[in-house]
Amino acid sequence: MKRSIPALVSVVAVAGVLVLLPFIISDYNTFLVGEVGIYFIAVLGLNILTGYTGQISIGHGAFMAIGGYTLAILSRDHQMNLVYGTLIAFALCFAAGLAFGLLALRLSGAYLALATFALAISVTQLPLQYSTYLGGSLGVQASSKTDHLFGWSLFGVHIPRWSLPGPAVLTNKWIFGVAWSFAAVLLVLAWLILRGRVGRAFRAVRDSEIAAVASGVERGLYKTLAFGISAAYCGAAGAIFVMANNGFAQPDEFNVALSLTLLIGAAVAGLGSLWGVLVGAAFVGLLPNISTSIPHLGGHQDVIYGAAVIVVMLVAPSGFAGLLARLRLLRRA
Amino acid sequence: MERLKTVGVERFVILAILLAGAIFLLVGCLTSTQFATFTVQGVATGMAYGALALALVLIYQATHVINFAQGELAMFTTFVAWQLIQWGLPYWGAFFVTLAIAFLLGMGLQVAVIRPVQHRSVIATVIVTVGLFILIDGVVDWVWGGEFKSLPQPFGNGSWNVGGVEIQHLYVGMTGVVLASLAFVWALFRFTKLGLAMRAAALRPAAASLAGVRVDAMLAIGWGLAALLGAVAGLMAEPTTGIFLLPTFMQQVLVYAFAAAALGGLESPIGAIVGGVAIGVLQALMIGYTPQISSQLQLPFAFALILAILVVKPNGLFGRRQVARV
Amino acid sequence: MSALLELEDVEARYGPIHVLHKISLAVEEGAIVAVLGPNGAGKTTTLRAISGTVRRSGRIVFAGKALGRTGPAGTARRGIAHVPEGRGTFAELTVWENLRLGAYTRRGSIQADVNRVMTYFPALAERRRQQAGTLSGGEQQMLALARAFIQRPKLMLLDEPSLGLAPLLVAEIFRIVRELNEKEGLTVLLVEQNAHIALQAAQTGYVLETGKIVLSGTSDELRANDAIRASYLGY
């Protein structure tokens, strides 16, 4: 699956647009597009699970929660900076995802979905139970000292700082930059993972579990791996999400609606297209907010959003990726 | 050729455990009036959970999809009932009219938004139900948003005193109504030609077609029935959720219904009911005896339990082990 | 006299794979017609094309009316009973429920008919309440036949009734098919790999190879044909 020149050009074009955007559009819209970046990372991860291995999860908000809380706690207790914090959230959630994947190995289809639902509900209740360490319903706040990218002092080892100019409060442009920078890096990582043997194995798991077993693919290994990777991505997204939330990690932010939002994003994206992920992320990031700004419909954005979700699925059941595939077929004919 | 075990050793063990549980409850009720009060309450609310769980199971059996909108649909029909009462209908009149409306609405939704995608993609169908969830929320807020409303009590506030135990009319009524609905649905499936056709359409759609069954129509009727059961669940659960009729009241019930369906097995109607009652009773006993565990922890506890059960029995307690035809 | 069933230039595909190439055949009322051929020739697809299980083009006329785009449920209502590969019975339901389902398109009481059907399938009569999945192979095939027959069809499509059965049972099944044909006037179009027994039961036959009819004629003619004898009859 070599990327052809036109595809590379499109990627560069999109990257160019993204770089210019914060200077063109309003501050609030910059924040929105920044959020799209966060959703991009999460949906990219979930798409690896759902699109490539066909396992449906309605609980990946839980991994965003774990990632977000990890960052907030590391910042609060160890003044860890945001990049390292996000990396640790990524790694921790990878482990958590692997663990859950192993646990849920025997489950499939709807039962797996219900198990992920159980995970989502349970994880978001934990802060309420262990409120001293996890902050209860008010959540954990990241330390305001950690608005720099690198530089950290732990166990007496001092790594030099690298500060970005700007106020102590995280600005919308800053969030935009961080979100999309991570998104770019993680996108490249995903592309590398999926084009190789691992990606083929994932597709084998999705297309036919039985055939995959017969052809010697260690189905369990790859199913679990898919969980781990998708969880890691959601963890990173969760960490940046907390940054965007003024450093607050709160249980309400990571409720079931978030998991459903991610799933909608993955479905709109469709199976097997990285462009689709961009469309999916934009759909769930922008649509609910756009309808609030249309004056006549004020307050009824749920009706619009819900109807939009239904219509999109009816028109494009295989998501954006499906539409692309159909277009390619037409072009060939 | 598929050889189906009629009663395996596993089933026997599960039935034995359930029997032990039932005996435990019975003994508890006889020895402690408090225990009995909690149990009665638990059975009643469990019935409501079970009704919604059965709705989920009906749809799952036919289409292999979890209908995320089942709870919100039930909430919607409850608001419809409220509206009918506002327009002058007595409670029970509104109840039956609502059931009819729910049936038609369920059928209509299946034809309009589910049928186009159900054969093409499982995930698209699931997302459509999620979209319905959001849409219904929005519509209810639009039409009935604003000041708080309340429904009249279907069974009044009285209670019977049975051997020192206060048994509220409400709980007996809830249990009775749900049981009656279940009996109706059961009879439909067991004794009527239509019910048989619906079962056949769910089991083997291709073979059912060859016998002349219009499978798509059967699926629509299935959705209608599920919506009807959901309406019953909503109307019966509502009095237990507080003074006011709030749009969020079914969300908690849906979660418990999921748990019940997972516990009992998504393919088993009986499992859904038993699961629902089990969860209802467990919940009532937990709230009653261990209030120090914050009420928010009930849910994760229930789910941790279910997760544990699913690990051991991946298709739920009553689920059939899937024989994969290679 | 026009035939009960006529296929004219019927084609069928599975996605991009073209399986049937302009098939034409006719089934007279009251006859048993056999379609023979090797694996993968398209015999099953032919039956599926008739019952509407698979999309097809070309003309199919049944009892004087064209079948158009009717799906399987519609063709069942028109009077065609298709016993598919895999028998089309419901393993999870009881024998009685399977039969009841077979009579789905019928109105009114079917009790008399059920009794009549049971006289042809005594083995099933004793097993009414048994789950169909627990029946033996031969009994399941009989159940499939009974389910189709109780539909009171004008035409029955049989897909490889001998598959997976011991010779004694195969003989029994075909005996029942011949009985239904003679006593009840049931027209049968059957598809078989076992050419020997198929030609014994049928009056006319077609030979299908790679989606095309290569030979047709009465059973006697086919049995006398050297190529048929070599390839399908083994002598």
Side-chain angles (χ1 to χ4, degrees), chain A residues 14-234:
Chain A
V14 170
V17 168
L18 281 174
V19 166
L20 290 174
L21 265 181
F23 304 102
I24 308 174
I25 58 181
S26 78
D27 202 47
Y28 177 64
N29 287 335
T30 305
F31 174 73
L32 275 187
V33 183
E35 268 210 328
V36 171
I38 295 174
Y39 283 123
F40 181 83
I41 298 172
V43 172
L44 187 56
L46 188 56
N47 205 306
I48 290 176
L49 184 70
T50 308
Y52 283 85
T53 65
Q55 305 175 79
I56 293 183
S57 165
I58 37 176
H60 267 54
F63 296 115
M64 281 185 76
I66 295 175
Y69 267 85
T70 302
L71 177 80
I73 291 173
L74 285 173
S75 166
R76 178 191 70 186
D77 295 347
H78 303 288
Q79 276 78 55
M80 185 173 295
N81 70 73
L82 300 166
V83 170
Y84 290 169
T86 305
L87 289 174
I88 292 185
F90 186 85
L92 192 69
C93 286
F94 180 69
L98 284 179
F100 184 80
L102 273 173
L103 201 67
L105 208 52
R106 292 180 68 193
L107 304 174
S108 61
Y111 293 100
L112 177 65
L114 286 176
T116 59
F117 187 70
L119 181 73
I121 301 243
S122 315
V123 163
T124 51
Q125 301 291 349
L126 283 176
L128 299 170
Q129 187 56 22
Y130 299 103
S131 41
T132 40
Y133 189 60
L134 293 177
S137 55
L138 290 176
V140 173
Q141 170 150 40
S143 159
S144 58
K145 294 200 187 81
T146 57
D147 62 340
H148 45 270
L149 278 178
F150 294 99
W152 172 40
S153 182
L154 188 68
F155 306 128
V157 176
H158 188 79
I159 300 164
R161 285 170 179 239
W162 229 15
S163 285
L164 274 185
V169 174
L170 306 171
T171 65
N172 291 335
K173 287 194 178 59
W174 201 96
I175 294 293
F176 183 96
V178 168
W180 283 105
S181 305
F182 268 102
V185 170
L186 290 173
L187 175 63
V188 171
L189 178 65
W191 184 69
L192 287 171
I193 294 175
L194 289 171
R195 72 199 285 258
R197 192 165 143 246
V198 175
R200 276 198 298 279
F202 283 164
R203 267 184 291 269
V205 171
R206 177 192 75 208
D207 291 334
S208 169
E209 295 230 346
I210 294 165
V213 168
S215 70
V217 173
E218 300 97 330
R219 201 185 88 234
L221 170 71
Y222 285 103
K223 273 172 95 167
T224 310
L225 190 62
F227 251 103
I229 297 175
S230 60
Y233 271 67
C234 287

Side-chain angles (χ1 to χ4, degrees), chain C residues 162 164-174 194 197:
Chain C
S162 72
L165 296 182
L168 219 59
L169 282 168
V170 172
E172 177 68 11
I173 296 280
F174 273 88
N194 184 339
I197 193 145

Side-chain angles (χ1 to χ4, degrees), chain B residues 29-34 36-37 40 159-169 172:
Chain B
C29 288
L30 292 172
T31 43
S32 154
T33 51
Q34 213 184 20
T37 319
V40 168
S159 57
W160 287 303
N161 194 305
V162 176
V165 182
E166 289 292 317
I167 300 185
Q168 293 195 33
H169 292 166
V172 176

